[in-house]
Amino acid sequence: LAKDMGKNNYQFFTESLNERVIRKGQLENALRRAIDQQEFTLHYQPKIDLDLNRVVGIEALLRWNPIFGSVSPAEFIPITEETGLIVDIGEWVLREACTKNKYWYDLGLLEAPIAVNVSARQFMDPHFIRIVQTVLSETKLPSHLLEIEITERVMINVNEASDIINQLREMGIQITIDDFGIGYSSLSMINSIDIDNLKIDQSFLHDVMKNKKSSGLLGAIIQMGREIEANVVIEGIETEEQASFLAAKGLIGQGYHFSYPLPEEKFEKYLAKQEA
Ligand code: C2E
Ligand code: MG
Ligand code: MG
Ligand code: MG
C-alpha cells in the first residue's frame, strides 16, 4: 500500500510538473506573438504626495490579455525575462508609456514622470540607452517626465549598473529602486550610487500594523532613504489607517487606497477629477 501511495504521489508530482512545463511552453509561444497581436496594454497607478495629497507621478504596469484569458505579470514577466522577450516587450512598454505621458502633458492634465519597470536583463542590454534616447526623441516626451524603476537585482553587476544609472540620470531621467529591502543590495552599495527614489517593498508596510518591531524597521529604512537624499516611496497602501499612519512624514505613497492601476480612459478621468 505504501508503495502504491508512493507511486501515486510520484505520478501526481510528475503530472503537475508536466502541466507546468506545458503551460510555460504555451505561454512562451503566445508571448512571442503578443506584440503583433496587440495583446498588451498598460494600466496606470498614481503616486501620491502623502502630505499634500497630490499626484506626483504615475507607474505604468503591463497587462497581457491573450484570447485564452488574462495572465498576471507575476506569471508572464519571468518567462519574458528567461527567454529574452522582455527586451522587445520592454521597448513596447517604454514607447507606449512615453506616448501616453506626452499626451497627458500636452492636454495639461499632468506634469509628472511616468515610471516604467525595467527588468535587469533589459537594463543591462547593450542597446538599452540608445533605445531610451530613440523613444524619447520619437515621442517628444521631456526626459524629466520619464522615470525608470529597477530592482536591487540589477545591482548584481554594480559597476555596469551604476554606469547605466549615471548615463540615464545625466539625460535627466529619474531612477527608482523598486521593492527595496527584500533583495540583493547592501546598504553600502545603495550609498555608492545616486538614485532619485527609493521605493520600499510593500511587505514592510503590510507587517507594520501588526507589530512594533517591523514599525521600527520601516522607520529605519525610511531614514536610510533620507540619508542618501532619495524620495521615499511607500507602495501597497490599502487602508485609511495606513495612509494616516504615513502622513506628514514627507513620503510618497502608492496603493489601492488611492487608486487601483487603471486602464487609460479611466486613469484620464481620474486625473481630470484630481485637477478639478
Ligand atoms: P511592482 O513594480 O512592484 O508593481 C507593484 C505591484 O503591486 C503591481 O502588481 C500593482 O498592481 C500592485 N499594487 C499596487 N497597489 C497595491 C496595493 O495597495 N496592494 C497590493 N497588494 N498590491 C498593489 P502587478 O501590476 O501585478 O505587477 C507585478 C510586478 O510585475 C511589478 O511589481 C513589476 O515587477 C512587474 N511588472 C509589471 N509591469 C512590468 C513591465 O512593464 N516591465 C517589467 N519588466 N516588469 C513589470
Ligand atoms: Mg514598480
Ligand atoms: Mg514594487
Ligand atoms: Mg513588486
Side-chain angles (χ1 to χ4, degrees), residues 178-179 199 235:
D178 199 355
D179 302 338
K199 198 194 274 192
E235 62 178 356

Side-chain angles (χ1 to χ4, degrees):
L1 193 69
K3 198 179 149 199
D4 285 345
M5 262 179 71
K7 195 177 163 197
N8 283 339
N9 284 341
Y10 175 72
Q11 277 182 344
F12 178 75
F13 176 71
T14 51
E15 238 171 57
S16 72
L17 186 65
N18 257 335
E19 277 165 17
R20 268 157 56 198
V21 170
I22 288 166
R23 175 163 168 90
K24 209 176 143 192
Q26 285 167 341
L27 293 183
E28 186 182 325
N29 283 334
L31 281 164
R32 288 187 193 284
R33 297 187 303 266
I35 294 181
D36 285 345
Q37 305 282 331
Q38 301 185 322
E39 291 168 346
F40 289 124
T41 56
L42 295 182
H43 281 191
Y44 303 93
Q45 189 179 38
K47 300 191 184 189
I48 310 288
D49 180 317
L50 294 181
D51 301 344
L52 304 174
N53 230 330
R54 278 186 38 213
V55 179
V56 291
I58 312 165
E59 181 171 9
L61 293 155
L62 185 57
R63 297 293 178 260
W64 181 35
N65 295 295
I67 39 168
F68 53 85
S70 75
V71 183
S72 111
E75 185 175 15
F76 77 78
I77 294 281
I79 299 174
T80 67
E81 286 169 345
E82 268 175 55
T83 52
L85 289 166
I86 192 62
V87 175
D88 284 345
I89 295 170
E91 182 175 343
W92 181 88
V93 171
L94 194 65
R95 186 168 278 110
E96 178 74 6
C98 290
T99 303
K100 288 294 136 60
N101 204 28
K102 174 66 162 68
Y103 175 71
W104 293 325
Y105 172 63
D106 286 346
L107 281 179
L109 276 176
L110 186 70
E111 181 175 352
I114 190 153
V116 173
N117 292 284
V118 173
S119 296
R121 181 147 180 188
Q122 186 191 357
F123 196 74
M124 304 310 265
D125 183 87
H127 304 296
F128 181 65
I129 298 274
R130 185 183 53 73
I131 289 168
V132 172
Q133 281 166 336
T134 305
V135 168
L136 282 177
S137 79
E138 281 174 11
T139 61
K140 302 188 171 62
L141 181 74
S143 60
H144 74 281
L145 298 182
L146 175 62
E147 175 182 336
I148 286 174
E149 293 192 5
I150 50 179
T151 65
E152 293 168 272
R153 239 182 302 171
V154 165
M155 297 304 152
I156 291 170
N157 305 302
V158 67
N159 292 330
E160 289 164 60
S162 56
D163 217 54
I164 300 167
I165 289 171
N166 292 338
Q167 285 185 64
L168 292 167
R169 291 190 80 239
E170 270 162 35
M171 290 164 63
I173 295 163
Q174 288 200 34
I175 299 292
T176 299
I177 303 288
D178 199 355
D179 302 338
F180 182 74
I182 56 165
Y184 172 83
S185 64
S186 68
L187 299 185
S188 65
M189 205 177 280
I190 284 296
N191 202 16
S192 72
I193 56 164
D194 283 326
I195 55 158
D196 301 280
N197 311 292
L198 192 68
K199 198 194 274 192
I200 297 169
D201 189 76
Q202 40 183 297
S203 58
F204 292 97
L205 175 64
H206 293 167
D207 287 349
V208 95
M209 271 38 195
K210 291 182 204 151
N211 68 71
K212 276 216 172 79
K213 203 172 158 196
S214 65
S215 142
L217 189 56
L218 180 66
I221 299 175
I222 291 171
Q223 191 49 41
M224 210 211 73
R226 301 236 161 82
E227 295 289 334
I228 62 166
E229 292 172 355
N231 299 310
V232 178
V233 186
I234 311 285
E235 62 178 356
I237 302 175
E238 293 176 350
T239 65
E240 177 59 48
E241 191 192 7
Q242 292 169 340
S244 46
F245 172 77
L246 295 167
K249 291 184 167 78
L251 299 168
I252 295 167
Q254 220 183 327
Y256 299 161
H257 174 66
F258 302 104
S259 170
Y260 290 101
L262 299 171
E264 188 183 326
E265 308 85 70
K266 283 192 177 157
F267 186 70
E268 237 171 83
K269 285 191 185 123
Y270 170 89
L271 285 182
K273 224 171 86 190
Q274 300 299 307
E275 194 75 349

